[in-house]
Amino acid sequence: EYTCTCCCLNRPEMSVNVVNQQGEKVFIGTIADPWNCCTYEFDIFDDKGDMIYTLTTPACQTAFVCNLPCDDCQKVEFALLNKDMQEISKTKRKGKGCMKNSLTNADKFKIYFTQDMPWNHRALIISAMMFIDFRLFEEKGGANSGNVHTNFDLD
């Protein structure tokens, strides 16, 4: 569905559903992209609408300003904050080496989970990283705009 987004108006959201063993679609949460001037933030809400995590990173980084194929120009680290805004983990977008970066548009992410994190929170964080990949790193328009290639390493 098409919507127009401008600064703080009409920011995009993503609903996350899973299919249970009975084949029923079950809503597990929402990912929101609120507007911030100097950071990229993505809020993660559970199925009750309570904010459980925020993924945040400064907007002034090499990967956002100079998107060249070298590894340093591909690297972005997001802090995973709990609802009290304390950092509990990290996620990273990283390069695959200068040659591979220049030959393919596949992005590579690494996600670090805490040991006590429930499966639905893990699913929401993975979904948030796919949303972030689409919002920040995929080229808009053009012949290959529908082809999204993302690799995840989960720890």
Side-chain angles (χ1 to χ4, degrees), residues 53-91:
Y53 302 112
T54 296
L55 282 162
T56 184
T57 193
C60 187
Q61 292 185 57
T62 308
F64 299 126
V65 179
C66 178
N67 193 12
L68 294 174
C70 60
D71 280 348
D72 286 340
C73 294
Q74 296 288 312
K75 183 173 55 174
V76 178
E77 189 171 287
F78 292 85
L80 179 65
L81 310 176
N82 63 14
K83 63 184 175 186
D84 299 323
M85 302 309 264
Q86 297 172 338
E87 185 173 332
I88 59 168
S89 188
K90 297 178 193 255
T91 63

Side-chain angles (χ1 to χ4, degrees), residues 72-136:
D72 286 340
C73 294
Q74 296 288 312
K75 183 173 55 174
V76 178
E77 189 171 287
F78 292 85
L80 179 65
L81 310 176
N82 63 14
K83 63 184 175 186
D84 299 323
M85 302 309 264
Q86 297 172 338
E87 185 173 332
I88 59 168
S89 188
K90 297 178 193 255
T91 63
K92 297 178 182 180
R93 175 186 186 246
K94 52 190 225 170
K96 304 168 295 297
C98 189
M99 189 58 119
K100 284 185 182 178
N101 288 336
S102 62
L103 296 175
T104 179
N105 64 352
D107 292 326
K108 186 171 185 171
F109 290 88
K110 188 160 188 83
I111 302 172
Y112 300 94
F113 297 118
T114 61
Q115 287 188 335
D116 60 342
M117 193 176 287
W119 72 268
N120 55 333
H121 290 200
R122 292 175 188 230
L124 286 167
I125 292 169
I126 293 169
S127 299
M129 291 309 297
M130 291 193 298
F131 187 59
I132 289 169
D133 182 35
F134 181 75
R135 293 283 300 142
L136 301 181

Side-chain angles (χ1 to χ4, degrees), residues 137-155:
F137 303 114
E138 294 300 322
E139 292 181 29
K140 311 299 187 261
N144 293 327
S145 63
N147 300 327
V148 178
H149 306 283
T150 306
N151 298 315
F152 288 97
D153 290 334
L154 308 175
D155 286 338

